[in-house]
Amino acid sequence: NFPFEKPFEPSAFTDEISNSTLDEFVNLLEPQKNFSKKIKLGNTVADIKKSKRGIIILGGSNYKKEFLTNLIRLSAKLKFPILAEGNSSIRFYKSESDLIIANHTAFLRSDKIKKELDPDLILHFGSAPAINTLLQFIESSRSKKIFINKFGDLNDPSRTAHKLIKCDELEFVKVIYNNTAINKVSDFSKKYSALDKIVENEKEKYFQENKIKIEPNLIKIITELIPQDSNLFVSNSMPVRDFDFFASKNKRNISVYTNRGVSGIDGIISTAAGVAKSSIKETYLIIGDLAFYHDTNGLQILAQNKIPLKIILINNSGGRIFNLLPIANENIEF
């Protein structure tokens, strides 16, 4: 558990550094003068009114139902698709909206589609995306990017945000809704919905034809089998990535939780125990074997406090997530 900064592959470094790279470092170290915690929403309303190709990115957070209801309402009014991360819970909200997009991490892998679907405005709520595909999409987008959260956290690893607005997310959504007009359905939003359905159909077809017991299929099965109105805690490493990629939309009103941890897989059982203890809902945890080993002390917490957490343990030989990263090409280090 050594906390290396990215990238940590030897081949990612050289002995020389260009002047342009040095200039980039200087810019990164200078104070970000563009950001203000007290930005008036009037300018933001104007930006949204001008937008013809807007999207909403909903990162992970423990959102309340009232916020999700009002966000879907705003999305329908503006015709802004909601790119919903798996841990945002909105995929499992009881809604008929076809603007809730669950399969964006599949179709945004295409450079051609990324170019076609590049918005002119991004409204970003919640934490930074857990999946690189969406992170890269945000970074490469030429859109105006507005980040909104009540703590004023800049959840933007790309460092390309134009505004950071510190305010209650629900109040923000209500203000925007009350000060904007209904937009017409555009080809832009239709493309997002159409691609989402195409990928969903291909996913269903694949699982039906292959009938193989693989982790992605397990994720899909669990979200369809656990009771309605349950809590679902998803561990880091492979489970959260599989969950984001393969969890389909359904109306089971599942509340999804994650915990980034210090090294990703620390304290997962203990955090899930806290969720289960503080909630009257049934709570389920999906966790891989290595993350399970990292917090076996959490089992003692469950026993001592008689917490009814149901653990679904995936015996996947450590997940082997590093096989998917560039470090796998560095034979000696790997």
Side-chain angles (χ1 to χ4, degrees), residues 203-215:
K203 193 165 63 178
E204 288 285 341
K205 183 180 173 185
Y206 178 80
F207 283 134
Q208 285 176 7
E209 287 178 355
N210 290 276
K211 300 288 183 184
I212 49 179
K213 295 179 180 178
I214 55 174
E215 287 178 53

Side-chain angles (χ1 to χ4, degrees), residues 88-205:
S88 69
S89 298
I90 201 171
R91 292 190 196 179
F92 312 106
Y93 197 67
K94 293 179 180 179
S95 170
E96 301 296 333
S97 174
D98 62 354
L99 289 175
I100 298 174
I101 310 300
N103 295 298
H104 51 278
T105 46
F107 59 74
L108 288 178
R109 291 168 183 245
S110 161
D111 288 336
K112 180 183 177 183
I113 291 174
K114 267 202 301 190
K115 192 173 181 181
E116 285 181 11
L117 296 183
D118 191 21
D120 57 22
L121 178 69
I122 294 176
L123 300 178
H124 186 287
F125 297 90
S127 60
I131 310 302
N132 277 339
T133 304
L134 191 52
L135 284 169
Q136 290 164 0
F137 177 66
I138 294 170
E139 186 172 8
S140 64
S141 175
R142 294 170 293 175
S143 63
K144 189 159 195 173
K145 300 157 194 172
I146 301 172
F147 284 66
I148 310 105
N149 72 77
K150 61 185 172 185
F151 300 113
D153 294 330
L154 181 57
N155 297 319
D156 176 34
S158 72
R159 300 183 70 90
T160 59
H162 295 85
K163 283 184 185 178
L164 170 63
I165 300 179
K166 180 182 179 180
C167 73
D168 181 81
E169 295 93 339
L170 175 59
E171 290 304 311
F172 176 89
V173 168
K174 285 181 176 179
V175 168
I176 301 303
Y177 185 89
N178 292 331
N179 289 278
T180 51
I182 298 173
N183 285 337
K184 294 179 181 179
V185 178
S186 66
D187 288 340
F188 177 74
S189 60
K190 282 181 181 177
K191 281 181 183 177
Y192 268 98
S193 299
L195 284 166
D196 191 49
K197 288 172 184 173
I198 289 169
V199 174
E200 187 62 35
N201 290 336
E202 286 298 317
K203 193 165 63 178
E204 288 285 341
K205 183 180 173 185

